[in-house]
């Protein structure tokens, strides 16, 4: 996401993080209102409503038109749709984590469950999510496209933990490896 779009998104969420502003947006989505009407509906003082409207106007979420001595405000649905189309796409939201290390948690799990440089597994995690991290790491110890007899699979897994039968079953159950007639291979 571009810095400009990120700032718009941040300002958008900050503006709507206030319950009064959110209520104002809801009211203005249904009808035009003056500051005086909004103040009465929300039981707020007029200067407070004006402050909230100014925040919403910064994002172009509300428009104002003069009528006589008062000004009428309404939600700018086109601006809201524009923000939605430009910024609220799954790809744009996903790009918010570009500078986040998405593998940090997995690295922590591996560090916690393996003993130092020996790479011996202290225990098989009870947590399904942590166990999957360990199993993915173990699956990477096998080459793709190579068939392994069960004895060799056991030898490789015993390097990391004594209970190779459980690890073998878990690798199959999680579809990280497949087995047929005593021959195992890593899935891609």
């Amino acid at each position: 996401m571009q810095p400009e779009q990120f700032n718009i998104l941040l300002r958008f969420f900050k503006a709507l993080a206030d319950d009064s502003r959110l209520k104002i947006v809801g009211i203005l989505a249904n009808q035009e209102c003056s500051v005086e009407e909004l103040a009465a509906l929300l039981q707020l003082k007029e200067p407070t409503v004006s402050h909230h409207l100014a925040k919403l106007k910064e994002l172009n979420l509300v428009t104002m038109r003069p009528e006589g001595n008062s000004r009428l405000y309404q939600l700018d649905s086109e601006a809201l749709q524009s923000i939605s189309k430009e910024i609220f796409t799954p790809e744009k939201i996903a790009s918010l984590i570009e500078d986040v290390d998405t593998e940090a948690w997995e690295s922590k799990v591996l560090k916690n469950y393996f003993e130092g440089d020996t790479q011996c597994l202290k225990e098989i995690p009870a947590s399904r999510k942590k166990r999957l991290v360990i199993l993915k790491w173990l699956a990477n110890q096998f080459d793709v496209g190579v068939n392994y007899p069960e004895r060799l699979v056991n030898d490789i897994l015993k390097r990391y933990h004594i209970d190779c039968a459980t690890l073998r079953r878990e690798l199959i159950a999680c579809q990280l490896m497949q087995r047929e007639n005593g021959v195992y291979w890593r899935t891609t």
Side-chain angles (χ1 to χ4, degrees):
M1 181 175 288
Q2 297 173 359
E4 178 184 321
Q5 290 177 323
F6 183 82
N7 286 332
I8 291 170
L9 186 63
L10 194 59
R11 287 187 1 246
F12 178 85
F13 281 122
K14 281 183 179 179
L16 295 181
D18 182 278
D19 63 334
S20 295
R21 283 194 282 269
L22 209 47
K23 288 176 184 176
I24 289 170
V25 168
I27 293 168
L28 296 180
N30 291 320
Q31 64 189 39
E32 280 187 318
C33 287
S34 67
V35 170
E36 183 181 8
E37 291 171 313
L38 286 168
L41 288 169
L42 296 169
Q43 299 177 348
L44 296 173
K45 295 182 179 177
E46 289 181 25
T48 303
V49 171
S50 293
H51 168 77
H52 290 311
L53 286 169
K55 292 285 186 187
L56 295 170
K57 279 177 65 176
E58 286 175 13
L59 289 169
N60 298 319
L61 289 177
V62 296
T63 59
M64 183 271 301
R65 72 175 182 82
E67 185 174 281
N69 290 336
S70 55
R71 296 181 171 139
L72 296 178
Y73 294 87
Q74 74 178 53
L75 178 69
D76 187 342
S77 58
E78 288 179 16
L80 190 59
Q81 287 175 348
S82 173
I83 289 173
S84 177
K85 285 179 185 174
E86 291 176 26
I87 298 176
F88 287 119
T89 65
E91 296 82 22
K92 294 285 174 110
I93 296 298
S95 72
L96 292 172
I97 62 163
E98 286 174 347
D99 60 344
V100 175
D101 181 5
T102 55
E103 295 177 7
W105 183 78
E106 289 181 2
S107 297
K108 180 181 177 190
V109 169
L110 291 171
K111 184 179 176 186
N112 288 341
Y113 279 90
F114 282 101
E115 292 180 20
D117 296 333
T118 63
Q119 291 189 328
C120 286
L121 188 58
K122 296 176 190 176
E123 64 180 316
I124 299 171
S127 159
R128 193 175 169 93
K129 193 171 179 182
K130 290 178 183 177
R131 187 176 25 207
L132 185 58
V133 170
I134 299 298
L135 292 170
K136 284 180 183 178
W137 186 88
L138 287 170
N140 285 328
Q141 306 315 303
F142 297 90
D143 294 322
V144 175
V146 175
N147 291 334
Y148 295 90
E150 188 169 304
R151 180 187 52 73
L152 184 54
V153 172
N154 288 341
D155 289 344
I156 292 170
L157 292 175
K158 280 182 184 176
R159 294 179 203 163
Y160 307 106
H161 194 270
I162 190 88
D163 191 357
C164 61
T166 298
L167 292 174
R168 204 177 57 240
R169 281 192 301 271
E170 289 284 334
L171 286 166
I172 299 295
C174 291
Q175 298 180 348
L176 296 168
M177 291 189 83
Q178 291 186 348
R179 170 188 65 206
E180 188 175 309
N181 298 325
V183 177
Y184 293 75
W185 62 94
R186 184 177 152 200
T187 58
T188 53

